[in-house]
Amino acid sequence: VAVYSKPVSHAFVIKADKVDKFLAQKADPKIMEMHRKRAALILKDDDRRADQ
Amino acid sequence: MVCAFSCGDRDKYGALDDYIQQKARCDNDTVSYLIHDEASAVAIFALSCTALTAIENGVPMPIPAVEIRIFALDEKYQHTSIENSGYTIGDFVLSVCLEYIQRMRKTSFGASNAVLYANSEESQKFYRRNGFYDFEEYMQSSSDPFLDGCFPMYLPLDE
């Protein structure tokens, strides 16, 4: 089980409109889908082509 | 395979070539990934933990992020389009890089943005085309002199 926690609580002490807007900004789903599809074409067999 | 890797123009990219060939594998600040075909290296990217720092009232607010410290294509594969796809090899490699980042975000650590420093206007256009934004005025760039003249960019990762 992966424990997943974002260590950013200290980053919200002072807020402003612009920064709030940035913090709430989400990824563009179309862009992320494009990246997912392209990566899937390269990473066909469980990272066969990408060696660390 | 890595020893033959070259970004091209030695005057411009010689230091990067030297880093990739000699230091990337033992750099504790990054983990480097090699994309290759049967015979040769195609691209290398290197990832590092970082913080995207927003400044408010002079107070820095670090927001966990992943930095793409190195993103380099061998000169043989630069500006090369994949037939019938409308994309270049660089586009595909960047997608692989982001897929790795997403996997690590889901299993190893939290980070809400990817960050990088584009080293030319041409590369800035490449990253914009792939969804990256220029830093906002309230975001603090790295003070590393090595990055002078580079264009800081970010990509939100939370969906």
Side-chain angles (χ1 to χ4, degrees), chain B residues 106-134:
Chain B
K106 290 172 184 170
T107 58
S108 305
F109 53 77
S112 53
N113 290 269
V115 173
L116 57 78
Y117 289 81
N119 64 359
S120 68
E121 291 187 5
E122 183 188 5
S123 59
Q124 188 182 30
K125 288 176 185 171
F126 166 77
Y127 292 117
R128 281 180 183 155
R129 182 159 55 78
N130 281 286
F132 281 77
Y133 301 101
D134 299 335

PDB file of all heavy atoms in Angstrom, chain B residues 106-134:
ATOM      1  N   LYS B 106       2.045   8.928  -8.311  1.00  0.00           N
ATOM      2  CA  LYS B 106       1.001   8.043  -7.787  1.00  0.00           C
ATOM      3  C   LYS B 106       1.551   7.031  -6.793  1.00  0.00           C
ATOM      4  O   LYS B 106       0.800   6.428  -6.045  1.00  0.00           O
ATOM      5  CB  LYS B 106       0.336   7.300  -8.951  1.00  0.00           C
ATOM      6  CG  LYS B 106      -0.521   8.214  -9.816  1.00  0.00           C
ATOM      7  CD  LYS B 106      -0.995   7.497 -11.063  1.00  0.00           C
ATOM      8  CE  LYS B 106      -1.765   8.459 -11.959  1.00  0.00           C
ATOM      9  NZ  LYS B 106      -2.053   7.888 -13.273  1.00  0.00           N
ATOM     10  N   THR B 107       2.856   6.818  -6.796  1.00  0.00           N
ATOM     11  CA  THR B 107       3.399   5.741  -5.973  1.00  0.00           C
ATOM     12  C   THR B 107       4.463   6.183  -4.973  1.00  0.00           C
ATOM     13  O   THR B 107       4.676   5.500  -3.973  1.00  0.00           O
ATOM     14  CB  THR B 107       4.046   4.662  -6.864  1.00  0.00           C
ATOM     15  OG1 THR B 107       5.064   5.272  -7.655  1.00  0.00           O
ATOM     16  CG2 THR B 107       3.011   4.017  -7.780  1.00  0.00           C
ATOM     17  N   SER B 108       5.141   7.279  -5.227  1.00  0.00           N
ATOM     18  CA  SER B 108       6.341   7.567  -4.436  1.00  0.00           C
ATOM     19  C   SER B 108       6.341   8.897  -3.706  1.00  0.00           C
ATOM     20  O   SER B 108       6.901   9.000  -2.620  1.00  0.00           O
ATOM     21  CB  SER B 108       7.583   7.520  -5.338  1.00  0.00           C
ATOM     22  OG  SER B 108       7.654   6.283  -5.997  1.00  0.00           O
ATOM     23  N   PHE B 109       5.785   9.923  -4.305  1.00  0.00           N
ATOM     24  CA  PHE B 109       5.846  11.241  -3.663  1.00  0.00           C
ATOM     25  C   PHE B 109       4.778  12.145  -4.276  1.00  0.00           C
ATOM     26  O   PHE B 109       4.248  11.850  -5.346  1.00  0.00           O
ATOM     27  CB  PHE B 109       7.225  11.884  -3.838  1.00  0.00           C
ATOM     28  CG  PHE B 109       7.696  11.947  -5.266  1.00  0.00           C
ATOM     29  CD1 PHE B 109       7.198  12.887  -6.147  1.00  0.00           C
ATOM     30  CD2 PHE B 109       8.645  11.052  -5.727  1.00  0.00           C
ATOM     31  CE1 PHE B 109       7.631  12.942  -7.459  1.00  0.00           C
ATOM     32  CE2 PHE B 109       9.084  11.094  -7.037  1.00  0.00           C
ATOM     33  CZ  PHE B 109       8.571  12.043  -7.908  1.00  0.00           C
ATOM     34  N   GLY B 110       4.486  13.210  -3.575  1.00  0.00           N
ATOM     35  CA  GLY B 110       3.515  14.172  -4.083  1.00  0.00           C
ATOM     36  C   GLY B 110       4.185  15.336  -4.759  1.00  0.00           C
ATOM     37  O   GLY B 110       5.235  15.801  -4.315  1.00  0.00           O
ATOM     38  N   ALA B 111       3.594  15.781  -5.841  1.00  0.00           N
ATOM     39  CA  ALA B 111       4.080  16.968  -6.545  1.00  0.00           C
ATOM     40  C   ALA B 111       2.973  17.406  -7.485  1.00  0.00           C
ATOM     41  O   ALA B 111       2.386  16.574  -8.172  1.00  0.00           O
ATOM     42  CB  ALA B 111       5.353  16.666  -7.325  1.00  0.00           C
ATOM     43  N   SER B 112       2.682  18.678  -7.489  1.00  0.00           N
ATOM     44  CA  SER B 112       1.529  19.128  -8.258  1.00  0.00           C
ATOM     45  C   SER B 112       1.894  19.744  -9.609  1.00  0.00           C
ATOM     46  O   SER B 112       1.016  20.043 -10.401  1.00  0.00           O
ATOM     47  CB  SER B 112       0.714  20.136  -7.449  1.00  0.00           C
ATOM     48  OG  SER B 112       1.553  21.175  -6.999  1.00  0.00           O
ATOM     49  N   ASN B 113       3.188  19.936  -9.848  1.00  0.00           N
ATOM     50  CA  ASN B 113       3.610  20.557 -11.104  1.00  0.00           C
ATOM     51  C   ASN B 113       4.918  19.960 -11.599  1.00  0.00           C
ATOM     52  O   ASN B 113       5.728  19.490 -10.802  1.00  0.00           O
ATOM     53  CB  ASN B 113       3.822  22.069 -10.916  1.00  0.00           C
ATOM     54  CG  ASN B 113       2.530  22.816 -10.705  1.00  0.00           C
ATOM     55  OD1 ASN B 113       1.916  23.282 -11.651  1.00  0.00           O
ATOM     56  ND2 ASN B 113       2.085  22.909  -9.455  1.00  0.00           N
ATOM     57  N   ALA B 114       5.086  20.012 -12.906  1.00  0.00           N
ATOM     58  CA  ALA B 114       6.395  19.753 -13.503  1.00  0.00           C
ATOM     59  C   ALA B 114       6.998  21.105 -13.869  1.00  0.00           C
ATOM     60  O   ALA B 114       6.284  22.023 -14.278  1.00  0.00           O
ATOM     61  CB  ALA B 114       6.264  18.885 -14.754  1.00  0.00           C
ATOM     62  N   VAL B 115       8.296  21.212 -13.684  1.00  0.00           N
ATOM     63  CA  VAL B 115       8.996  22.470 -13.916  1.00  0.00           C
ATOM     64  C   VAL B 115      10.201  22.199 -14.798  1.00  0.00           C
ATOM     65  O   VAL B 115      10.809  21.123 -14.722  1.00  0.00           O
ATOM     66  CB  VAL B 115       9.475  23.072 -12.571  1.00  0.00           C
ATOM     67  CG1 VAL B 115      10.347  24.292 -12.786  1.00  0.00           C
ATOM     68  CG2 VAL B 115       8.293  23.428 -11.689  1.00  0.00           C
ATOM     69  N   LEU B 116      10.524  23.146 -15.640  1.00  0.00           N
ATOM     70  CA  LEU B 116      11.751  23.026 -16.434  1.00  0.00           C
ATOM     71  C   LEU B 116      12.225  24.413 -16.843  1.00  0.00           C
ATOM     72  O   LEU B 116      11.499  25.403 -16.704  1.00  0.00           O
ATOM     73  CB  LEU B 116      11.526  22.147 -17.665  1.00  0.00           C
ATOM     74  CG  LEU B 116      10.428  22.526 -18.653  1.00  0.00           C
ATOM     75  CD1 LEU B 116      10.844  23.657 -19.584  1.00  0.00           C
ATOM     76  CD2 LEU B 116      10.018  21.313 -19.472  1.00  0.00           C
ATOM     77  N   TYR B 117      13.433  24.468 -17.330  1.00  0.00           N
ATOM     78  CA  TYR B 117      14.013  25.708 -17.830  1.00  0.00           C
ATOM     79  C   TYR B 117      14.386  25.499 -19.292  1.00  0.00           C
ATOM     80  O   TYR B 117      15.344  24.774 -19.591  1.00  0.00           O
ATOM     81  CB  TYR B 117      15.240  26.113 -16.992  1.00  0.00           C
ATOM     82  CG  TYR B 117      14.856  26.583 -15.608  1.00  0.00           C
ATOM     83  CD1 TYR B 117      14.594  25.670 -14.593  1.00  0.00           C
ATOM     84  CD2 TYR B 117      14.706  27.935 -15.323  1.00  0.00           C
ATOM     85  CE1 TYR B 117      14.200  26.093 -13.335  1.00  0.00           C
ATOM     86  CE2 TYR B 117      14.321  28.365 -14.069  1.00  0.00           C
ATOM     87  CZ  TYR B 117      14.064  27.444 -13.078  1.00  0.00           C
ATOM     88  OH  TYR B 117      13.664  27.867 -11.837  1.00  0.00           O
ATOM     89  N   ALA B 118      13.615  26.119 -20.177  1.00  0.00           N
ATOM     90  CA  ALA B 118      13.885  25.997 -21.609  1.00  0.00           C
ATOM     91  C   ALA B 118      15.090  26.853 -21.956  1.00  0.00           C
ATOM     92  O   ALA B 118      15.192  28.002 -21.516  1.00  0.00           O
ATOM     93  CB  ALA B 118      12.664  26.438 -22.407  1.00  0.00           C
ATOM     94  N   ASN B 119      16.007  26.295 -22.748  1.00  0.00           N
ATOM     95  CA  ASN B 119      17.266  27.009 -22.988  1.00  0.00           C
ATOM     96  C   ASN B 119      17.283  27.832 -24.266  1.00  0.00           C
ATOM     97  O   ASN B 119      18.316  28.383 -24.631  1.00  0.00           O
ATOM     98  CB  ASN B 119      18.445  26.028 -22.967  1.00  0.00           C
ATOM     99  CG  ASN B 119      18.353  25.013 -24.088  1.00  0.00           C
ATOM    100  OD1 ASN B 119      17.394  25.029 -24.870  1.00  0.00           O
ATOM    101  ND2 ASN B 119      19.330  24.128 -24.179  1.00  0.00           N
ATOM    102  N   SER B 120      16.139  27.914 -24.946  1.00  0.00           N
ATOM    103  CA  SER B 120      16.071  28.751 -26.148  1.00  0.00           C
ATOM    104  C   SER B 120      14.609  29.063 -26.440  1.00  0.00           C
ATOM    105  O   SER B 120      13.704  28.395 -25.915  1.00  0.00           O
ATOM    106  CB  SER B 120      16.696  28.028 -27.341  1.00  0.00           C
ATOM    107  OG  SER B 120      15.895  26.919 -27.711  1.00  0.00           O
ATOM    108  N   GLU B 121      14.392  30.055 -27.291  1.00  0.00           N
ATOM    109  CA  GLU B 121      13.013  30.375 -27.666  1.00  0.00           C
ATOM    110  C   GLU B 121      12.396  29.218 -28.446  1.00  0.00           C
ATOM    111  O   GLU B 121      11.194  28.968 -28.369  1.00  0.00           O
ATOM    112  CB  GLU B 121      12.977  31.664 -28.483  1.00  0.00           C
ATOM    113  CG  GLU B 121      13.316  32.892 -27.650  1.00  0.00           C
ATOM    114  CD  GLU B 121      13.123  34.184 -28.426  1.00  0.00           C
ATOM    115  OE1 GLU B 121      12.636  34.136 -29.565  1.00  0.00           O
ATOM    116  OE2 GLU B 121      13.476  35.246 -27.862  1.00  0.00           O
ATOM    117  N   GLU B 122      13.218  28.521 -29.204  1.00  0.00           N
ATOM    118  CA  GLU B 122      12.725  27.379 -29.961  1.00  0.00           C
ATOM    119  C   GLU B 122      12.215  26.280 -29.016  1.00  0.00           C
ATOM    120  O   GLU B 122      11.130  25.717 -29.207  1.00  0.00           O
ATOM    121  CB  GLU B 122      13.832  26.817 -30.853  1.00  0.00           C
ATOM    122  CG  GLU B 122      13.375  25.659 -31.721  1.00  0.00           C
ATOM    123  CD  GLU B 122      14.539  25.004 -32.451  1.00  0.00           C
ATOM    124  OE1 GLU B 122      15.697  25.384 -32.201  1.00  0.00           O
ATOM    125  OE2 GLU B 122      14.283  24.110 -33.263  1.00  0.00           O
ATOM    126  N   SER B 123      12.994  25.998 -27.991  1.00  0.00           N
ATOM    127  CA  SER B 123      12.550  24.959 -27.056  1.00  0.00           C
ATOM    128  C   SER B 123      11.369  25.451 -26.230  1.00  0.00           C
ATOM    129  O   SER B 123      10.485  24.667 -25.866  1.00  0.00           O
ATOM    130  CB  SER B 123      13.704  24.497 -26.173  1.00  0.00           C
ATOM    131  OG  SER B 123      14.238  25.558 -25.434  1.00  0.00           O
ATOM    132  N   GLN B 124      11.326  26.758 -25.972  1.00  0.00           N
ATOM    133  CA  GLN B 124      10.175  27.318 -25.255  1.00  0.00           C
ATOM    134  C   GLN B 124       8.888  27.062 -26.055  1.00  0.00           C
ATOM    135  O   GLN B 124       7.859  26.672 -25.499  1.00  0.00           O
ATOM    136  CB  GLN B 124      10.390  28.812 -25.037  1.00  0.00           C
ATOM    137  CG  GLN B 124       9.352  29.471 -24.138  1.00  0.00           C
ATOM    138  CD  GLN B 124       9.606  30.963 -23.995  1.00  0.00           C
ATOM    139  OE1 GLN B 124      10.143  31.607 -24.898  1.00  0.00           O
ATOM    140  NE2 GLN B 124       9.225  31.523 -22.864  1.00  0.00           N
ATOM    141  N   LYS B 125       8.969  27.268 -27.365  1.00  0.00           N
ATOM    142  CA  LYS B 125       7.798  27.004 -28.222  1.00  0.00           C
ATOM    143  C   LYS B 125       7.422  25.535 -28.199  1.00  0.00           C
ATOM    144  O   LYS B 125       6.253  25.180 -28.198  1.00  0.00           O
ATOM    145  CB  LYS B 125       8.100  27.438 -29.666  1.00  0.00           C
ATOM    146  CG  LYS B 125       8.141  28.940 -29.842  1.00  0.00           C
ATOM    147  CD  LYS B 125       8.530  29.293 -31.273  1.00  0.00           C
ATOM    148  CE  LYS B 125       8.695  30.798 -31.422  1.00  0.00           C
ATOM    149  NZ  LYS B 125       9.271  31.169 -32.736  1.00  0.00           N
ATOM    150  N   PHE B 126       8.442  24.667 -28.190  1.00  0.00           N
ATOM    151  CA  PHE B 126       8.199  23.224 -28.123  1.00  0.00           C
ATOM    152  C   PHE B 126       7.420  22.869 -26.857  1.00  0.00           C
ATOM    153  O   PHE B 126       6.433  22.127 -26.903  1.00  0.00           O
ATOM    154  CB  PHE B 126       9.544  22.490 -28.161  1.00  0.00           C
ATOM    155  CG  PHE B 126       9.481  21.043 -27.780  1.00  0.00           C
ATOM    156  CD1 PHE B 126       9.009  20.083 -28.662  1.00  0.00           C
ATOM    157  CD2 PHE B 126       9.892  20.630 -26.513  1.00  0.00           C
ATOM    158  CE1 PHE B 126       8.953  18.743 -28.300  1.00  0.00           C
ATOM    159  CE2 PHE B 126       9.844  19.296 -26.144  1.00  0.00           C
ATOM    160  CZ  PHE B 126       9.366  18.354 -27.038  1.00  0.00           C
ATOM    161  N   TYR B 127       7.859  23.406 -25.731  1.00  0.00           N
ATOM    162  CA  TYR B 127       7.191  23.070 -24.472  1.00  0.00           C
ATOM    163  C   TYR B 127       5.805  23.700 -24.393  1.00  0.00           C
ATOM    164  O   TYR B 127       4.875  23.091 -23.867  1.00  0.00           O
ATOM    165  CB  TYR B 127       8.054  23.494 -23.283  1.00  0.00           C
ATOM    166  CG  TYR B 127       9.324  22.682 -23.163  1.00  0.00           C
ATOM    167  CD1 TYR B 127      10.572  23.271 -23.290  1.00  0.00           C
ATOM    168  CD2 TYR B 127       9.266  21.307 -22.935  1.00  0.00           C
ATOM    169  CE1 TYR B 127      11.736  22.528 -23.194  1.00  0.00           C
ATOM    170  CE2 TYR B 127      10.421  20.548 -22.839  1.00  0.00           C
ATOM    171  CZ  TYR B 127      11.656  21.169 -22.972  1.00  0.00           C
ATOM    172  OH  TYR B 127      12.793  20.420 -22.884  1.00  0.00           O
ATOM    173  N   ARG B 128       5.655  24.911 -24.916  1.00  0.00           N
ATOM    174  CA  ARG B 128       4.308  25.517 -24.934  1.00  0.00           C
ATOM    175  C   ARG B 128       3.360  24.643 -25.751  1.00  0.00           C
ATOM    176  O   ARG B 128       2.210  24.424 -25.376  1.00  0.00           O
ATOM    177  CB  ARG B 128       4.371  26.910 -25.558  1.00  0.00           C
ATOM    178  CG  ARG B 128       4.874  27.993 -24.625  1.00  0.00           C
ATOM    179  CD  ARG B 128       4.887  29.310 -25.365  1.00  0.00           C
ATOM    180  NE  ARG B 128       5.422  30.410 -24.571  1.00  0.00           N
ATOM    181  CZ  ARG B 128       5.965  31.496 -25.084  1.00  0.00           C
ATOM    182  NH1 ARG B 128       6.043  31.644 -26.402  1.00  0.00           N
ATOM    183  NH2 ARG B 128       6.428  32.440 -24.309  1.00  0.00           N
ATOM    184  N   ARG B 129       3.846  24.165 -26.875  1.00  0.00           N
ATOM    185  CA  ARG B 129       3.019  23.310 -27.737  1.00  0.00           C
ATOM    186  C   ARG B 129       2.597  22.035 -26.999  1.00  0.00           C
ATOM    187  O   ARG B 129       1.579  21.425 -27.331  1.00  0.00           O
ATOM    188  CB  ARG B 129       3.844  22.970 -28.991  1.00  0.00           C
ATOM    189  CG  ARG B 129       3.159  22.139 -30.022  1.00  0.00           C
ATOM    190  CD  ARG B 129       3.837  22.314 -31.385  1.00  0.00           C
ATOM    191  NE  ARG B 129       5.261  22.034 -31.372  1.00  0.00           N
ATOM    192  CZ  ARG B 129       5.799  20.821 -31.372  1.00  0.00           C
ATOM    193  NH1 ARG B 129       5.016  19.774 -31.391  1.00  0.00           N
ATOM    194  NH2 ARG B 129       7.108  20.648 -31.396  1.00  0.00           N
ATOM    195  N   ASN B 130       3.382  21.674 -26.004  1.00  0.00           N
ATOM    196  CA  ASN B 130       3.083  20.455 -25.249  1.00  0.00           C
ATOM    197  C   ASN B 130       2.433  20.738 -23.897  1.00  0.00           C
ATOM    198  O   ASN B 130       2.438  19.882 -23.013  1.00  0.00           O
ATOM    199  CB  ASN B 130       4.358  19.637 -25.070  1.00  0.00           C
ATOM    200  CG  ASN B 130       4.692  18.851 -26.331  1.00  0.00           C
ATOM    201  OD1 ASN B 130       4.044  17.862 -26.626  1.00  0.00           O
ATOM    202  ND2 ASN B 130       5.683  19.322 -27.093  1.00  0.00           N
ATOM    203  N   GLY B 131       1.895  21.947 -23.747  1.00  0.00           N
ATOM    204  CA  GLY B 131       1.061  22.240 -22.592  1.00  0.00           C
ATOM    205  C   GLY B 131       1.717  23.009 -21.469  1.00  0.00           C
ATOM    206  O   GLY B 131       1.056  23.343 -20.481  1.00  0.00           O
ATOM    207  N   PHE B 132       2.998  23.295 -21.572  1.00  0.00           N
ATOM    208  CA  PHE B 132       3.674  24.032 -20.502  1.00  0.00           C
ATOM    209  C   PHE B 132       3.333  25.522 -20.585  1.00  0.00           C
ATOM    210  O   PHE B 132       3.074  26.054 -21.662  1.00  0.00           O
ATOM    211  CB  PHE B 132       5.194  23.861 -20.607  1.00  0.00           C
ATOM    212  CG  PHE B 132       5.686  22.540 -20.072  1.00  0.00           C
ATOM    213  CD1 PHE B 132       5.546  21.377 -20.806  1.00  0.00           C
ATOM    214  CD2 PHE B 132       6.294  22.457 -18.825  1.00  0.00           C
ATOM    215  CE1 PHE B 132       5.996  20.157 -20.319  1.00  0.00           C
ATOM    216  CE2 PHE B 132       6.746  21.246 -18.330  1.00  0.00           C
ATOM    217  CZ  PHE B 132       6.596  20.096 -19.072  1.00  0.00           C
ATOM    218  N   TYR B 133       3.359  26.170 -19.435  1.00  0.00           N
ATOM    219  CA  TYR B 133       3.122  27.606 -19.337  1.00  0.00           C
ATOM    220  C   TYR B 133       4.401  28.306 -18.898  1.00  0.00           C
ATOM    221  O   TYR B 133       5.209  27.728 -18.155  1.00  0.00           O
ATOM    222  CB  TYR B 133       2.041  27.920 -18.294  1.00  0.00           C
ATOM    223  CG  TYR B 133       0.699  27.278 -18.562  1.00  0.00           C
ATOM    224  CD1 TYR B 133       0.308  26.127 -17.874  1.00  0.00           C
ATOM    225  CD2 TYR B 133      -0.186  27.825 -19.485  1.00  0.00           C
ATOM    226  CE1 TYR B 133      -0.939  25.540 -18.113  1.00  0.00           C
ATOM    227  CE2 TYR B 133      -1.425  27.246 -19.728  1.00  0.00           C
ATOM    228  CZ  TYR B 133      -1.786  26.105 -19.037  1.00  0.00           C
ATOM    229  OH  TYR B 133      -3.000  25.526 -19.273  1.00  0.00           O
ATOM    230  N   ASP B 134       4.526  29.575 -19.324  1.00  0.00           N
ATOM    231  CA  ASP B 134       5.610  30.402 -18.786  1.00  0.00           C
ATOM    232  C   ASP B 134       5.323  30.688 -17.311  1.00  0.00           C
ATOM    233  O   ASP B 134       4.156  30.763 -16.908  1.00  0.00           O
ATOM    234  CB  ASP B 134       5.697  31.725 -19.550  1.00  0.00           C
ATOM    235  CG  ASP B 134       5.983  31.517 -21.030  1.00  0.00           C
ATOM    236  OD1 ASP B 134       6.571  30.477 -21.377  1.00  0.00           O
ATOM    237  OD2 ASP B 134       5.610  32.397 -21.831  1.00  0.00           O
TER     238      ASP B 134
END
